[in-house]
Amino acid sequence: ANFSEQVVESFPSDISTGIYYGWACVGNGDVHKMVLSIGWNPFYKNIKKSVETHIIHTFKEDFYGEILSIVIIGYIRPEKNFDSL
């Protein structure tokens, strides 16, 4: 689940890029484990950050338009660029 540009721009400016872990909730649903990537977006020539949440749960359907709430608990590693798959 990707956050909108407006949400990403409202994140603290001093938060480091990288991979984080925590909890996520879609709408009024259950709380699930998640990992979160905060990083520079090559699509925008690396001048904008993107925030992508990977919820560790299988949903029965898409949840576009729902409110996504997250709690970041910890930091895993810095952002990395990969040369291949």
Side-chain angles (χ1 to χ4, degrees):
N2 297 338
F3 282 100
S4 69
E5 285 183 48
Q6 287 176 304
V7 171
V8 174
E9 290 171 2
S10 71
F11 268 59
S13 60
D14 61 345
I15 193 166
S16 298
T17 60
I19 308 300
Y20 295 81
Y21 63 92
W23 302 100
C25 177
V26 176
N28 292 319
D30 294 333
V31 175
H32 302 284
K33 295 176 185 177
M34 67 88 179
V35 291
L36 181 81
S37 171
I38 301 174
W40 295 105
N41 192 324
F43 182 80
Y44 294 108
K45 300 185 183 354
N46 293 327
I47 60 170
K48 290 187 179 189
K49 287 183 183 175
S50 64
V51 177
E52 300 175 2
T53 307
H54 303 275
I55 302 170
I56 303 172
H57 176 75
T58 301
F59 291 90
K60 294 180 182 176
E61 55 190 40
D62 290 334
F63 50 85
Y64 290 102
E66 290 287 338
I67 293 176
L68 175 61
S69 302
I70 63 167
V71 175
I72 299 171
I73 302 296
Y75 182 77
I76 297 173
R77 65 167 176 81
E79 179 180 23
K80 293 182 181 180
N81 290 321
F82 297 96
D83 295 331
S84 67
L85 292 176

Coordinates of all heavy atoms in Angstrom, one line a residue:
A1 N 0.9 -1.2 0.0 CA 0.0 0.0 0.0 C 0.9 1.2 0.0 O 1.7 1.4 0.9 CB -0.9 0.0 1.2
N2 N 0.8 2.1 -1.0 CA 1.6 3.3 -1.1 C 0.8 4.5 -0.5 O -0.4 4.6 -0.7 CB 1.9 3.6 -2.6 CG 2.7 2.5 -3.2 OD1 3.4 1.7 -2.5 ND2 2.7 2.4 -4.5
F3 N 1.5 5.3 0.2 CA 0.9 6.5 0.7 C 1.0 7.6 -0.4 O 1.9 7.6 -1.2 CB 1.7 7.0 2.0 CG 1.3 6.2 3.2 CD1 2.1 5.2 3.7 CD2 0.1 6.5 3.9 CE1 1.8 4.5 4.8 CE2 -0.2 5.8 5.0 CZ 0.6 4.8 5.5
S4 N 0.0 8.5 -0.3 CA 0.0 9.6 -1.3 C 1.2 10.5 -1.1 O 1.8 10.5 0.0 CB -1.3 10.4 -1.2 OG -1.3 11.1 0.0
E5 N 1.4 11.3 -2.1 CA 2.5 12.3 -2.0 C 2.3 13.3 -0.8 O 3.2 13.6 -0.1 CB 2.6 13.2 -3.3 CG 3.3 12.4 -4.4 CD 3.4 13.3 -5.6 OE1 3.9 14.5 -5.5 OE2 3.0 12.9 -6.7
Q6 N 1.0 13.7 -0.6 CA 0.7 14.6 0.5 C 1.1 13.9 1.9 O 1.6 14.6 2.7 CB -0.8 14.9 0.5 CG -1.2 15.8 -0.6 CD -2.7 16.0 -0.6 OE1 -3.5 15.1 -0.6 NE2 -3.1 17.3 -0.5
V7 N 0.7 12.7 2.0 CA 1.1 12.0 3.3 C 2.6 11.9 3.5 O 3.1 12.2 4.5 CB 0.4 10.6 3.4 CG1 0.9 9.8 4.6 CG2 -1.1 10.7 3.4
V8 N 3.3 11.5 2.4 CA 4.7 11.3 2.4 C 5.4 12.7 2.8 O 6.3 12.7 3.6 CB 5.3 10.8 1.1 CG1 6.8 10.8 1.1 CG2 4.7 9.4 0.8
E9 N 4.9 13.8 2.2 CA 5.5 15.1 2.5 C 5.2 15.5 4.0 O 5.9 16.4 4.5 CB 4.9 16.1 1.6 CG 5.5 15.9 0.1 CD 4.8 16.8 -0.9 OE1 3.9 17.6 -0.5 OE2 5.1 16.6 -2.1
S10 N 4.2 14.9 4.6 CA 3.9 15.3 6.0 C 4.8 14.4 7.0 O 4.7 14.7 8.2 CB 2.4 15.1 6.3 OG 2.1 13.7 6.4
F11 N 5.5 13.4 6.5 CA 6.4 12.7 7.4 C 7.5 13.6 8.0 O 7.8 14.6 7.3 CB 7.0 11.5 6.7 CG 6.3 10.2 6.7 CD1 5.0 10.1 6.3 CD2 6.9 9.1 7.2 CE1 4.3 8.9 6.3 CE2 6.2 7.9 7.2 CZ 4.9 7.8 6.8
P12 N 8.0 13.3 9.1 CA 9.1 14.2 9.6 C 10.3 14.2 8.6 O 10.6 13.2 8.1 CB 9.5 13.4 10.9 CG 8.4 12.6 11.3 CD 7.7 12.2 10.0
S13 N 10.8 15.4 8.4 CA 11.8 15.5 7.3 C 13.1 14.8 7.7 O 13.9 14.5 6.9 CB 12.1 17.0 7.1 OG 12.5 17.7 8.2
D14 N 13.3 14.6 9.0 CA 14.6 14.0 9.5 C 14.5 12.5 9.6 O 15.5 11.9 10.0 CB 15.1 14.6 10.8 CG 14.1 14.4 11.9 OD1 12.9 14.0 11.7 OD2 14.5 14.6 13.1
I15 N 13.4 11.9 9.2 CA 13.3 10.4 9.3 C 14.2 9.8 8.2 O 14.2 10.3 7.0 CB 11.9 9.9 9.2 CG1 11.8 8.4 9.5 CG2 11.3 10.1 7.8 CD1 10.4 7.9 9.8
S16 N 15.0 8.9 8.6 CA 16.0 8.2 7.6 C 15.3 7.3 6.6 O 14.3 6.7 7.0 CB 17.0 7.4 8.4 OG 17.8 8.2 9.3
T17 N 15.8 7.3 5.4 CA 15.3 6.3 4.5 C 15.7 4.9 4.9 O 16.7 4.8 5.6 CB 15.8 6.6 3.0 OG1 17.2 6.5 3.0 CG2 15.4 8.0 2.5
G18 N 14.9 4.0 4.5 CA 15.3 2.6 4.9 C 14.0 1.8 5.1 O 12.9 2.1 4.7
I19 N 14.2 0.6 5.7 CA 13.2 -0.3 6.0 C 12.9 -0.4 7.5 O 13.8 -0.5 8.3 CB 13.6 -1.8 5.5 CG1 14.1 -1.7 4.0 CG2 12.4 -2.7 5.6 CD1 13.1 -1.2 3.0
Y20 N 11.6 -0.3 7.8 CA 11.1 -0.2 9.1 C 10.1 -1.4 9.3 O 9.6 -1.9 8.4 CB 10.4 1.1 9.4 CG 11.3 2.3 9.4 CD1 11.7 2.9 8.2 CD2 11.8 2.8 10.6 CE1 12.6 4.0 8.2 CE2 12.7 3.9 10.5 CZ 13.0 4.5 9.3 OH 13.9 5.6 9.3
Y21 N 9.7 -1.6 10.6 CA 8.7 -2.6 10.9 C 7.7 -2.1 11.9 O 8.0 -1.1 12.6 CB 9.3 -4.0 11.4 CG 10.0 -3.9 12.7 CD1 9.4 -4.1 13.9 CD2 11.4 -3.6 12.7 CE1 10.1 -4.0 15.1 CE2 12.1 -3.5 13.9 CZ 11.4 -3.7 15.1 OH 12.1 -3.7 16.3
G22 N 6.5 -2.7 11.9 CA 5.6 -2.2 12.9 C 4.2 -2.9 12.7 O 4.1 -4.0 12.3
W23 N 3.2 -2.1 12.9 CA 1.8 -2.6 12.8 C 1.0 -1.7 11.8 O 1.2 -0.5 11.7 CB 1.1 -2.5 14.2 CG 1.9 -3.3 15.2 CD1 2.8 -2.8 16.1 CD2 1.9 -4.7 15.4 NE1 3.3 -3.9 16.9 CE2 2.7 -5.0 16.4 CE3 1.2 -5.8 14.7 CZ2 2.9 -6.3 16.9 CZ3 1.4 -7.1 15.2 CH2 2.3 -7.3 16.2
A24 N 0.0 -2.3 11.2 CA -0.9 -1.6 10.2 C -2.3 -2.1 10.4 O -2.6 -3.2 10.7 CB -0.4 -1.8 8.8
C25 N -3.2 -1.1 10.1 CA -4.6 -1.4 10.1 C -5.3 -0.7 8.9 O -5.0 0.4 8.7 CB -5.2 -0.9 11.4 SG -7.0 -1.1 11.6
V26 N -6.1 -1.5 8.2 CA -6.8 -0.9 7.1 C -8.3 -0.6 7.5 O -9.0 -1.5 8.0 CB -6.8 -1.9 5.9 CG1 -7.7 -1.3 4.7 CG2 -5.4 -2.2 5.4
G27 N -8.7 0.6 7.4 CA -10.0 1.0 7.8 C -10.2 0.7 9.3 O -9.4 1.0 10.1
N28 N -11.3 0.0 9.6 CA -11.5 -0.4 11.0 C -11.2 -1.9 11.2 O -11.8 -2.5 12.1 CB -13.0 -0.1 11.4 CG -13.3 1.4 11.4 OD1 -12.5 2.1 11.9 ND2 -14.4 1.8 10.9
G29 N -10.4 -2.4 10.3 CA -10.1 -3.9 10.4 C -9.1 -4.2 11.5 O -8.7 -3.4 12.3
D30 N -8.7 -5.5 11.4 CA -7.7 -6.0 12.3 C -6.3 -5.4 12.1 O -6.0 -4.9 11.1 CB -7.6 -7.5 12.2 CG -8.9 -8.2 12.5 OD1 -9.7 -7.7 13.4 OD2 -9.1 -9.3 12.0
V31 N -5.5 -5.5 13.2 CA -4.1 -5.0 13.1 C -3.2 -6.1 12.7 O -3.4 -7.2 13.2 CB -3.7 -4.4 14.5 CG1 -2.3 -4.0 14.5 CG2 -4.6 -3.3 14.9
H32 N -2.3 -5.8 11.8 CA -1.4 -6.8 11.2 C 0.0 -6.3 11.3 O 0.3 -5.1 11.3 CB -1.8 -7.2 9.8 CG -3.2 -7.6 9.6 ND1 -3.6 -8.9 9.9 CD2 -4.2 -7.0 9.1 CE1 -4.9 -9.0 9.6 NE2 -5.3 -7.9 9.1
K33 N 1.0 -7.3 11.3 CA 2.4 -6.9 11.1 C 2.6 -6.3 9.8 O 1.9 -6.6 8.8 CB 3.2 -8.2 11.2 CG 3.2 -8.9 12.6 CD 4.0 -10.1 12.5 CE 3.9 -10.9 13.9 NZ 4.6 -12.2 13.8
M34 N 3.6 -5.4 9.7 CA 3.9 -4.8 8.4 C 5.4 -4.4 8.4 O 6.1 -4.3 9.5 CB 3.1 -3.5 8.2 CG 3.3 -2.4 9.1 SD 4.6 -1.3 8.5 CE 4.6 0.0 9.8
V35 N 5.9 -4.3 7.2 CA 7.2 -3.6 7.0 C 7.0 -2.4 6.1 O 6.0 -2.4 5.3 CB 8.3 -4.6 6.4 CG1 8.7 -5.7 7.3 CG2 7.8 -5.2 5.1
L36 N 7.8 -1.4 6.2 CA 7.6 -0.1 5.6 C 8.9 0.3 4.9 O 10.0 0.2 5.6 CB 7.2 0.9 6.6 CG 6.9 2.3 6.2 CD1 5.5 2.3 5.6 CD2 7.0 3.3 7.3
S37 N 8.8 0.7 3.7 CA 10.0 1.2 3.0 C 9.8 2.7 2.8 O 8.8 3.2 2.2 CB 10.1 0.5 1.6 OG 11.1 1.2 0.8
I38 N 10.8 3.5 3.2 CA 10.8 4.9 3.0 C 12.1 5.1 2.2 O 13.2 4.8 2.6 CB 10.9 5.7 4.3 CG1 9.7 5.4 5.2 CG2 11.1 7.2 4.1 CD1 9.8 6.0 6.6
G39 N 11.9 5.7 1.0 CA 13.0 5.8 0.1 C 12.8 6.8 -1.0 O 11.7 7.3 -1.3
W40 N 13.9 7.1 -1.7 CA 13.9 8.1 -2.8 C 13.3 7.3 -4.0 O 13.6 6.2 -4.3 CB 15.3 8.6 -3.1 CG 15.8 9.4 -2.0 CD1 16.7 9.1 -1.1 CD2 15.3 10.7 -1.6 NE1 16.9 10.1 -0.1 CE2 16.0 11.1 -0.5 CE3 14.4 11.6 -2.1 CZ2 15.8 12.3 0.2 CZ3 14.2 12.8 -1.5 CH2 14.9 13.2 -0.4
N41 N 12.4 8.0 -4.7 CA 11.7 7.4 -5.8 C 12.3 7.7 -7.2 O 12.3 8.9 -7.6 CB 10.2 7.9 -5.8 CG 9.3 7.1 -6.7 OD1 9.7 6.7 -7.8 ND2 8.1 7.0 -6.3
P42 N 12.9 6.7 -7.8 CA 13.5 7.0 -9.1 C 12.6 7.5 -10.2 O 13.0 8.2 -11.1 CB 14.0 5.6 -9.6 CG 14.0 4.7 -8.4 CD 13.0 5.3 -7.4
F43 N 11.3 7.2 -10.1 CA 10.3 7.7 -11.0 C 10.3 9.3 -11.0 O 10.1 9.9 -12.0 CB 8.9 7.2 -10.7 CG 7.8 7.6 -11.6 CD1 7.7 7.0 -12.9 CD2 7.0 8.7 -11.3 CE1 6.7 7.4 -13.8 CE2 6.0 9.1 -12.2 CZ 5.9 8.5 -13.4
Y44 N 10.5 9.8 -9.9 CA 10.6 11.3 -9.7 C 12.0 11.8 -9.7 O 12.3 12.8 -9.1 CB 9.8 11.7 -8.4 CG 8.4 11.5 -8.5 CD1 7.8 10.5 -7.7 CD2 7.5 12.2 -9.3 CE1 6.4 10.2 -7.7 CE2 6.2 12.0 -9.4 CZ 5.6 11.0 -8.6 OH 4.3 10.7 -8.6
K45 N 12.9 11.1 -10.3 CA 14.3 11.4 -10.4 C 15.0 11.6 -9.1 O 15.8 12.5 -8.9 CB 14.5 12.7 -11.3 CG 14.0 12.5 -12.7 CD 14.3 13.6 -13.6 CE 13.7 13.6 -15.0 NZ 13.1 12.4 -15.5
N46 N 14.5 10.8 -8.1 CA 15.0 10.8 -6.7 C 15.0 12.2 -6.0 O 15.8 12.5 -5.1 CB 16.4 10.3 -6.7 CG 16.5 8.8 -7.1 OD1 15.5 8.1 -6.8 ND2 17.5 8.4 -7.7
I47 N 14.0 13.0 -6.4 CA 13.8 14.3 -5.6 C 12.6 14.2 -4.7 O 12.4 15.1 -3.9 CB 13.7 15.5 -6.6 CG1 12.5 15.3 -7.5 CG2 14.9 15.7 -7.4 CD1 12.1 16.6 -8.3
K48 N 11.8 13.1 -4.8 CA 10.7 12.9 -3.9 C 10.9 11.5 -3.2 O 11.4 10.6 -3.8 CB 9.4 12.9 -4.6 CG 9.0 14.2 -5.2 CD 7.6 14.2 -5.8 CE 7.2 15.6 -6.2 NZ 5.8 15.7 -6.6
K49 N 10.4 11.5 -2.0 CA 10.4 10.2 -1.3 C 9.1 9.5 -1.5 O 8.1 10.1 -1.8 CB 10.6 10.4 0.2 CG 12.0 10.8 0.7 CD 12.1 11.0 2.2 CE 13.4 11.4 2.6 NZ 13.5 11.7 4.0
S50 N 9.2 8.1 -1.4 CA 8.0 7.3 -1.4 C 7.9 6.5 -0.1 O 8.9 6.2 0.5 CB 7.9 6.4 -2.6 OG 8.9 5.5 -2.6
V51 N 6.7 6.2 0.3 CA 6.5 5.3 1.5 C 5.6 4.2 1.1 O 4.4 4.4 0.7 CB 5.9 6.2 2.7 CG1 5.7 5.3 3.8 CG2 6.9 7.3 3.0
E52 N 6.1 3.0 1.1 CA 5.3 1.8 0.7 C 5.2 0.9 1.9 O 6.2 0.5 2.6 CB 6.0 1.1 -0.4 CG 6.2 1.9 -1.6 CD 7.0 1.2 -2.7 OE1 7.5 0.1 -2.5 OE2 7.3 1.9 -3.7
T53 N 4.0 0.5 2.2 CA 3.7 -0.4 3.4 C 3.4 -1.8 2.8 O 2.6 -1.9 1.9 CB 2.5 0.1 4.1 OG1 2.7 1.5 4.5 CG2 2.2 -0.7 5.4
H54 N 4.0 -2.8 3.4 CA 3.8 -4.2 3.0 C 3.2 -4.8 4.2 O 3.9 -5.1 5.2 CB 5.1 -4.8 2.6 CG 5.8 -4.1 1.4 ND1 5.4 -4.3 0.1 CD2 6.7 -3.1 1.4 CE1 6.2 -3.6 -0.6 NE2 6.9 -2.8 0.1
I55 N 1.9 -5.0 4.1 CA 1.1 -5.6 5.3 C 1.3 -7.2 5.1 O 1.0 -7.7 4.1 CB -0.3 -5.2 5.2 CG1 -0.4 -3.7 5.3 CG2 -1.1 -5.8 6.4 CD1 -1.8 -3.1 5.1
I56 N 1.6 -7.8 6.2 CA 1.9 -9.2 6.2 C 0.5 -9.9 6.6 O 0.3 -10.3 7.7 CB 3.0 -9.6 7.2 CG1 4.2 -8.8 6.8 CG2 3.2 -11.1 7.2 CD1 5.4 -8.9 7.8
H57 N -0.3 -10.0 5.5 CA -1.7 -10.5 5.6 C -2.2 -10.7 4.2 O -1.9 -9.9 3.3 CB -2.6 -9.6 6.5 CG -4.0 -10.1 6.5 ND1 -4.3 -11.2 7.3 CD2 -5.1 -9.7 5.9 CE1 -5.6 -11.3 7.2 NE2 -6.1 -10.4 6.4
T58 N -3.0 -11.7 4.0 CA -3.7 -11.8 2.7 C -5.1 -11.3 2.8 O -5.9 -11.8 3.6 CB -3.7 -13.3 2.3 OG1 -2.4 -13.8 2.2 CG2 -4.4 -13.5 0.9
F59 N -5.4 -10.3 2.0 CA -6.7 -9.7 2.0 C -7.5 -10.3 0.9 O -7.0 -10.7 -0.1 CB -6.6 -8.1 1.8 CG -6.0 -7.4 2.9 CD1 -4.6 -7.2 3.0 CD2 -6.8 -6.9 4.0 CE1 -4.1 -6.5 4.1 CE2 -6.2 -6.2 5.0 CZ -4.9 -6.0 5.1
K60 N -8.8 -10.4 1.2 CA -9.8 -11.0 0.2 C -10.0 -10.1 -1.0 O -10.4 -10.6 -2.0 CB -11.1 -11.4 0.9 CG -10.9 -12.5 1.9 CD -12.2 -12.8 2.6 CE -12.0 -13.9 3.7 NZ -13.3 -14.1 4.4
E61 N -9.8 -8.8 -0.8 CA -10.1 -7.9 -1.9 C -9.2 -6.7 -1.7 O -8.6 -6.4 -0.7 CB -11.6 -7.5 -1.9 CG -12.1 -6.9 -0.6 CD -13.6 -6.8 -0.6 OE1 -14.3 -7.7 -1.1 OE2 -14.0 -5.8 -0.1
D62 N -9.2 -5.9 -2.8 CA -8.4 -4.6 -2.8 C -9.0 -3.7 -1.7 O -10.2 -3.7 -1.4 CB -8.4 -3.9 -4.1 CG -7.6 -4.7 -5.2 OD1 -6.7 -5.4 -4.8 OD2 -7.9 -4.5 -6.4
F63 N -8.2 -2.8 -1.2 CA -8.7 -1.8 -0.2 C -8.3 -0.4 -0.7 O -8.1 0.5 0.2 CB -8.2 -2.1 1.2 CG -6.7 -2.4 1.3 CD1 -5.8 -1.3 1.5 CD2 -6.2 -3.6 1.3 CE1 -4.5 -1.5 1.6 CE2 -4.8 -3.9 1.4 CZ -4.0 -2.8 1.6
Y64 N -8.4 -0.1 -2.0 CA -8.1 1.2 -2.5 C -9.2 2.2 -1.8 O -10.3 1.9 -1.7 CB -8.3 1.3 -4.0 CG -7.2 0.6 -4.7 CD1 -7.4 -0.7 -5.3 CD2 -5.9 1.2 -4.8 CE1 -6.3 -1.3 -5.9 CE2 -4.9 0.6 -5.5 CZ -5.1 -0.7 -6.0 OH -4.1 -1.3 -6.7
G65 N -8.7 3.3 -1.4 CA -9.5 4.4 -0.9 C -9.8 4.2 0.6 O -10.4 5.1 1.2
E66 N -9.3 3.2 1.2 CA -9.5 3.0 2.7 C -8.4 3.7 3.4 O -7.3 4.0 2.9 CB -9.3 1.5 3.0 CG -10.5 0.6 2.6 CD -11.8 0.9 3.4 OE1 -11.7 1.3 4.6 OE2 -12.8 0.5 2.9
I67 N -8.6 4.0 4.6 CA -7.6 4.7 5.5 C -6.7 3.6 6.0 O -7.1 2.6 6.5 CB -8.3 5.4 6.7 CG1 -9.1 6.6 6.1 CG2 -7.2 5.9 7.7 CD1 -9.9 7.4 7.2
L68 N -5.4 3.9 5.8 CA -4.3 3.0 6.3 C -3.6 3.7 7.5 O -3.1 4.8 7.4 CB -3.3 2.7 5.2 CG -2.1 1.9 5.6 CD1 -2.5 0.5 6.1 CD2 -1.1 1.8 4.4
S69 N -3.7 3.0 8.7 CA -3.1 3.5 9.9 C -1.8 2.6 10.2 O -1.9 1.4 10.1 CB -4.0 3.5 11.0 OG -5.2 4.2 10.8
I70 N -0.7 3.3 10.5 CA 0.5 2.5 10.8 C 1.1 3.0 12.1 O 0.9 4.2 12.5 CB 1.5 2.6 9.7 CG1 2.0 4.0 9.5 CG2 1.0 2.0 8.4 CD1 3.3 4.1 8.6
V71 N 1.8 2.1 12.7 CA 2.7 2.4 13.9 C 4.0 1.9 13.6 O 4.2 0.6 13.4 CB 2.1 1.8 15.2 CG1 3.1 2.1 16.3 CG2 0.7 2.4 15.5
I72 N 5.1 2.7 13.5 CA 6.4 2.3 13.2 C 7.1 2.0 14.6 O 7.1 2.8 15.4 CB 7.2 3.3 12.5 CG1 6.6 3.6 11.1 CG2 8.7 2.9 12.3 CD1 7.2 4.8 10.4
I73 N 7.5 0.7 14.7 CA 8.1 0.3 16.0 C 9.6 0.3 15.9 O 10.3 0.6 16.9 CB 7.6 -1.2 16.3 CG1 6.1 -1.2 16.4 CG2 8.3 -1.7 17.6 CD1 5.5 -0.4 17.5
G74 N 10.2 -0.1 14.8 CA 11.7 -0.2 14.7 C 12.2 -0.1 13.3 O 11.5 -0.1 12.3
Y75 N 13.5 0.0 13.3 CA 14.3 0.2 12.0 C 15.1 -1.1 11.7 O 15.7 -1.7 12.6 CB 15.3 1.3 12.3 CG 16.2 1.7 11.1 CD1 15.7 2.5 10.0 CD2 17.5 1.3 11.0 CE1 16.5 2.8 9.0 CE2 18.3 1.7 10.0 CZ 17.8 2.5 9.0 OH 18.6 2.8 7.9
I76 N 15.0 -1.5 10.5 CA 15.7 -2.8 10.1 C 17.0 -2.5 9.4 O 18.1 -3.0 9.8 CB 14.8 -3.6 9.1 CG1 13.5 -4.1 9.9 CG2 15.6 -4.9 8.6 CD1 12.5 -4.8 9.0
R77 N 17.0 -1.7 8.3 CA 18.2 -1.4 7.6 C 18.1 -0.2 6.7 O 17.0 0.3 6.5 CB 18.6 -2.6 6.7 CG 17.6 -2.9 5.6 CD 18.1 -3.9 4.6 NE 17.1 -4.2 3.6 CZ 16.8 -3.5 2.5 NH1 17.4 -2.4 2.3 NH2 15.9 -4.0 1.6
P78 N 19.2 0.4 6.2 CA 19.1 1.5 5.3 C 18.6 1.1 3.9 O 18.5 -0.1 3.6 CB 20.6 2.0 5.2 CG 21.4 0.9 5.6 CD 20.6 0.0 6.5
E79 N 18.2 2.1 3.2 CA 17.7 1.9 1.8 C 18.9 1.4 1.0 O 20.0 1.8 1.2 CB 17.3 3.3 1.2 CG 16.8 3.3 -0.2 CD 16.4 4.7 -0.6 OE1 16.8 5.7 -0.1 OE2 15.6 4.7 -1.6
K80 N 18.6 0.5 0.0 CA 19.6 -0.1 -0.9 C 19.1 0.0 -2.3 O 18.0 -0.1 -2.6 CB 19.9 -1.5 -0.5 CG 20.5 -1.8 0.8 CD 20.7 -3.3 1.0 CE 21.4 -3.5 2.4 NZ 21.6 -5.0 2.6
N81 N 20.1 0.2 -3.2 CA 19.8 0.1 -4.6 C 20.3 -1.3 -5.1 O 21.4 -1.7 -4.7 CB 20.5 1.2 -5.4 CG 19.9 2.5 -5.2 OD1 18.7 2.6 -5.1 ND2 20.7 3.6 -5.0
F82 N 19.5 -1.9 -5.9 CA 19.9 -3.3 -6.4 C 20.2 -3.2 -7.9 O 19.5 -2.5 -8.7 CB 18.8 -4.3 -6.2 CG 18.6 -4.5 -4.7 CD1 17.6 -3.8 -4.0 CD2 19.4 -5.3 -3.9 CE1 17.4 -3.9 -2.7 CE2 19.2 -5.5 -2.6 CZ 18.2 -4.8 -2.0
D83 N 21.2 -3.9 -8.4 CA 21.6 -3.8 -9.8 C 20.8 -4.8 -10.6 O 20.7 -4.7 -11.9 CB 23.1 -4.2 -10.0 CG 24.0 -3.1 -9.4 OD1 23.5 -1.9 -9.3 OD2 25.1 -3.4 -8.9
S84 N 20.2 -5.8 -10.0 CA 19.4 -6.8 -10.7 C 18.3 -7.4 -9.8 O 18.3 -7.1 -8.6 CB 20.3 -7.9 -11.2 OG 20.8 -8.7 -10.1
L85 N 17.5 -8.2 -10.4 CA 16.5 -8.9 -9.5 C 17.1 -9.8 -8.5 O 16.6 -10.0 -7.4 CB 15.5 -9.7 -10.4 CG 14.6 -8.9 -11.3 CD1 13.8 -9.9 -12.2 CD2 13.7 -8.1 -10.5

